[in-house]
Amino acid sequence: DVKVTQSSRYLVKRTGEKVFLECVQDMDHENMFWYRQDPGLGLRLIYFSYDVKMKEKGDIPEGYSVSREKKERFSLILESASTNQTSMYLCASLGMKNIQYFGAGTRLSVL
Amino acid sequence: ELKVEQNPLFLSMQEGKNYTIYCNYSTTSDRLYWYRQDPGKSLESLFVLLSNGAVKQEGRLMASLDTKARLSTLHITAAVHDLSATYFCAVDIAMNRDDKIIFGKGTRLHILP
């Protein structure tokens, strides 16, 4: 079974902190994604990556950056967390047959 | 800019009824996905539609794609309570090696026993 693992299910951080959200997939997928999910807004694409060290901005990249140093790992970075970044963050990878696999999500609260 | 619009955003229906969720998108794409999300859970892939006229069925759910109309539908037949969930469609703009996948806002489906 494909596995997409997000390092934390819940995180509580303070405004201004630097936050790292880690995502690892074990199926050698090239494409990986970070979304945030907010009530009434669905999933919004923050960043995506199609290969190591390659990244593309999604629809809402402001306040975020990403890192893809290894194929299996795609990290989302909040350089200076703000309260409006409180959200559920979902990582996904895209496999064969165009099936996107999601991690369990990280619920981030910024106080 | 790609926009993906689902409607309705919320649907409450009786068991045994039929209904259709619509997904419209604003730019050319021939890849569309449907997902299910249960409360507190992550997303589960339901269907992958890869060509105009594609139709896929799984149990009481059937999805179709019309790329010319930029429309996909998810049809529910004789709904049962277990189908209560939020359903998302997502559109893939595949360019070279990039796959940019954009989601609709989701349709929360509540099926009354």
Side-chain angles (χ1 to χ4, degrees):
Chain A
D1 277 355
V2 175
K3 205 166 184 180
V4 179
T5 303
Q6 292 183 231
S7 52
S8 305
R9 289 299 304 273
Y10 301 95
L11 271 181
V12 180
K13 296 291 181 181
R14 295 207 174 273
T15 302
E17 279 193 76
K18 190 168 185 175
V19 182
F20 292 87
L21 302 183
E22 306 285 352
C23 176
V24 177
Q25 50 92 4
D26 64 357
M27 283 300 292
D28 203 37
H29 291 167
E30 292 184 343
N31 289 275
M32 296 186 73
F33 308 81
W34 274 106
Y35 296 91
R36 63 177 283 177
Q37 184 176 20
D38 300 288
L41 297 177
L43 275 74
R44 293 180 290 167
L45 181 63
I46 304 171
Y47 268 96
F48 60 109
S49 167
Y50 61 87
D51 205 348
V52 175
K53 296 192 187 296
M54 307 305 290
K55 60 186 179 186
E56 294 286 344
K57 292 180 180 179
D59 293 334
I60 51 163
E62 296 80 16
Y64 303 93
S65 62
V66 289
S67 172
R68 186 111 182 257
E69 295 297 318
K70 294 184 179 181
K71 195 173 187 180
E72 66 270 20
R73 186 181 296 270
F74 191 36
S75 303
L76 181 69
I77 304 156
L78 288 66
E79 294 290 341
S80 177
S82 62
T83 54
N84 63 11
Q85 292 178 309
T86 292
S87 186
M88 170 69 88
Y89 289 88
L90 291 167
C91 172
S93 68
L94 185 68
M96 299 294 288
K97 301 182 181 179
N98 295 288
I99 295 176
Q100 201 177 23
Y101 298 88
F102 281 83
T106 297
R107 189 170 291 280
L108 173 67
S109 296
V110 182
L111 306 178
Chain B
E1 180 192 343
L2 171 63
K3 290 185 180 177
V4 181
E5 294 185 350
Q6 284 182 240
N7 70 83
L9 296 182
F10 181 80
L11 177 60
S12 182
M13 57 193 288
Q14 296 278 343
E15 276 192 323
K17 299 286 188 184
N18 303 331
Y19 209 83
T20 301
I21 299 170
Y22 297 89
C23 176
N24 290 89
Y25 54 98
S26 62
T27 195
T28 302
S29 173
D30 57 4
R31 297 189 198 184
L32 190 135
Y33 312 97
W34 283 97
Y35 296 87
R36 169 182 173 143
Q37 186 179 36
D38 292 293
K41 301 282 182 68
S42 194
L43 277 76
E44 173 193 350
S45 177
L46 291 176
F47 300 109
V48 179
L49 303 169
L50 297 176
S51 61
N52 187 41
V55 177
K56 291 197 174 177
Q57 183 162 4
E58 181 76 33
R60 299 174 189 272
L61 300 178
M62 183 173 71
S64 66
L65 178 61
D66 181 344
T67 58
K68 293 179 181 177
R70 297 179 184 172
L71 170 69
S72 179
T73 61
L74 180 66
H75 187 73
I76 303 143
T77 302
V80 292
H81 181 66
D82 286 352
L83 290 179
S84 296
T86 299
Y87 293 86
F88 291 93
C89 68
V91 175
D92 188 344
I93 305 174
M95 297 166 56
N96 301 319
R97 296 176 67 186
D98 276 358
D99 279 277
K100 183 176 181 179
I101 300 176
I102 302 298
F103 281 74
K105 292 184 178 180
T107 296
R108 186 181 295 182
L109 179 62
H110 182 53
I111 298 170
L112 305 169

